[in-house]
Amino acid sequence: VLVCAAFYLPLVGRGFTSEDFLLLRLLDEAPPWTDLSGLLTRPWLGVESVGFYRPVAWLLFGVEEAVFGTWSPGYNLVHLAIHLWSVTRIFEIVRLVCHRAEGEVGSERWWHVEAPALGAALCFGLYPLHPNAVSWAASYANLFGSAFVLTGLWLFISADERRSLSRYLGSFVCTLLALGSYESSVLVPVLVVLLEVFVLRSPPRRIAAVMAIGATVLAVYFLVRRAVVGATVGGYVGAMDVFFGPPGALLNQVGRALSLFLWPRYDAPISSASGWFCLAALGLIVLVASVVFLRSPGWRFEAALILFSGAFVVGAMAPFSFGLVWPGEGRYFYLSAAGFAIGFGALVRLASRLSG
């Protein structure tokens, strides 16, 4: 946390930019709590063409505006604190699943548990495009939604370990708050199922129950979105068109997005060849991890965590970053970086086990 804070503190004094001014003016003129029914039953800012449904994030941003007004360091400090909280959730998620893989309390070697967790937390905390999400006030939805996602996953894993009903309920509430904050949060029920199947390896009856609950939550969310904004999923108009076009075009878009995510660069266009190379590399990683998961019980956990990480990274890119992400849009990789960090933690654990 201290290392990440040291990198971000110089940005605390950063002023407002771009749509910050418009959003703050709108909040000052019409605080969201003055029309809570409209907040829940109308699209974000009443703009149907945008297709956002973010009542929770908009309400929280309104609270910030009421407290800080036009004092930008206040927003930056709060958003930095939220980012650092998310960093600690990454640490706890990786630590908990590694501890579970090691067995009973006190039996594990710390470098098989703490080192992967620390590596994952630093990887997420210092991802190079994160300042766009952390120190730009208008990125509030990405930051709030991702914090709810990671908190919900942490609560779910810890509830499973402690058999805590209150933590299960907390995880459920965080999922609802995430869905009301950011569109990519629809990934949460899928991630929970993947955790149950691959990482936690729960019994079939429990997996079926988790799938049923997740499917119900998503069905209700999709129906609400359909009624409010006229679209089941997605954000900007046309953001989901790639899913209904030629499969090759979708795959190449995903590959190019992965290329930019792994190596953020803007001095030259991202070529199709680069996209296909990244997609092929991802396919090879998935293939090898799948074989290890099925054939090598001793390394099954690390393979499962890598598979989970790959699904997290790609899934969190939809619907915003399957297209090319420009320097001012690094926030669209924020949640994907959390998935990548978990995979990085798996690699650190793999290296620590191989070295003894």
Side-chain angles (χ1 to χ4, degrees):
V1 170
L2 293 177
V3 172
C4 295
F7 273 84
Y8 279 94
L9 282 176
L11 298 175
V12 168
R14 184 176 185 265
F16 297 120
T17 187
S18 187
E19 64 256 41
D20 289 347
F21 300 101
L22 171 62
L23 297 180
L24 294 177
R25 180 175 67 81
L26 292 173
L27 285 169
D28 183 63
E29 294 175 352
W33 49 84
T34 60
D35 184 15
L36 290 176
S37 63
L39 182 68
L40 295 172
T41 58
R42 289 198 292 268
W44 179 69
L45 301 183
V47 183
E48 293 186 5
S49 60
V50 174
F52 289 166
Y53 183 64
R54 300 175 173 179
V56 175
W58 188 239
L59 181 62
L60 292 174
F61 195 40
V63 172
E64 287 188 292
E65 193 279 331
V67 174
F68 300 119
T70 57
W71 188 55
S72 62
Y75 298 84
N76 294 334
L77 282 170
V78 170
H79 291 185
L80 174 57
I82 293 171
H83 175 59
L84 295 178
W85 168 260
S86 294
V87 169
T88 63
R89 293 316 90 196
I90 289 288
F91 178 90
E92 286 297 322
I93 287 169
V94 175
R95 186 187 68 82
L96 282 170
V97 295
C98 288
H99 168 73
R100 180 169 178 141
E102 286 292 288
E104 298 180 357
V105 177
S107 65
E108 73 270 0
R109 300 176 181 179
W110 71 266
W111 57 88
H112 291 173
V113 177
E114 306 295 334
L118 182 61
L122 287 173
C123 178
F124 176 69
L126 300 178
Y127 177 71
L129 292 183
H130 278 355
N132 182 253
V134 178
S135 58
W136 182 13
S139 297
Y140 66 94
N142 309 69
L143 203 63
F144 296 159
S146 298
F148 286 132
V149 168
L150 296 175
T151 303
L153 290 175
W154 162 65
L155 284 172
F156 183 85
I157 296 169
S158 61
D160 184 71
E161 184 173 283
R162 300 185 183 188
R163 293 293 185 264
S164 169
L165 178 60
S166 62
R167 293 195 175 223
Y168 280 125
L169 291 175
S171 176
F172 182 76
V173 170
C174 282
T175 298
L176 297 182
L177 294 173
L179 290 170
S181 299
Y182 190 50
E183 286 68 29
S184 294
S185 300
V186 296
L187 183 65
V188 175
V190 178
L191 292 177
V192 170
V193 171
L194 291 176
L195 271 173
E196 288 285 320
V197 174
F198 292 105
V199 181
L200 304 179
R201 298 201 297 278
S202 300
R205 180 177 293 183
R206 176 184 167 86
I207 294 172
V210 169
M211 290 179 66
I213 294 171
T216 302
V217 169
L218 286 183
V220 172
Y221 172 71
F222 291 151
L223 288 173
V224 170
R225 274 192 56 91
R226 190 73 178 177
V228 174
V229 304
T232 306
V233 293
Y236 298 116
V237 173
M240 302 298 289
D241 290 350
V242 66
F243 290 94
F244 305 103
L250 170 60
L251 291 174
N252 188 249
Q253 285 279 64
V254 173
R256 294 170 76 188
L258 283 170
S259 176
L260 190 57
F261 171 75
L262 295 172
W263 182 18
R265 61 201 186 279
Y266 300 98
D267 54 346
I270 307 300
S271 66
S272 293
S274 175
W276 287 119
F277 175 81
C278 283
L279 203 63
L282 176 64
L284 180 61
I285 292 171
V286 170
L287 177 61
V288 172
S290 298
V291 171
V292 172
F293 180 81
L294 295 172
R295 295 292 191 88
S296 303
W299 301 98
R300 183 170 290 160
F301 171 76
E302 289 78 12
L305 210 55
I306 289 171
L307 289 171
F308 175 78
S309 168
F312 197 151
V313 170
V314 176
M317 287 183 177
F320 297 111
S321 47
F322 278 166
L324 296 184
V325 174
W326 304 109
E329 298 174 338
R331 53 183 169 172
Y332 295 144
F333 282 148
Y334 188 79
L335 189 55
S336 288
F340 180 80
I342 292 172
F344 183 77
L347 294 178
V348 172
R349 177 178 163 85
L350 183 64
S352 70
R353 289 189 64 197
L354 289 173
S355 63

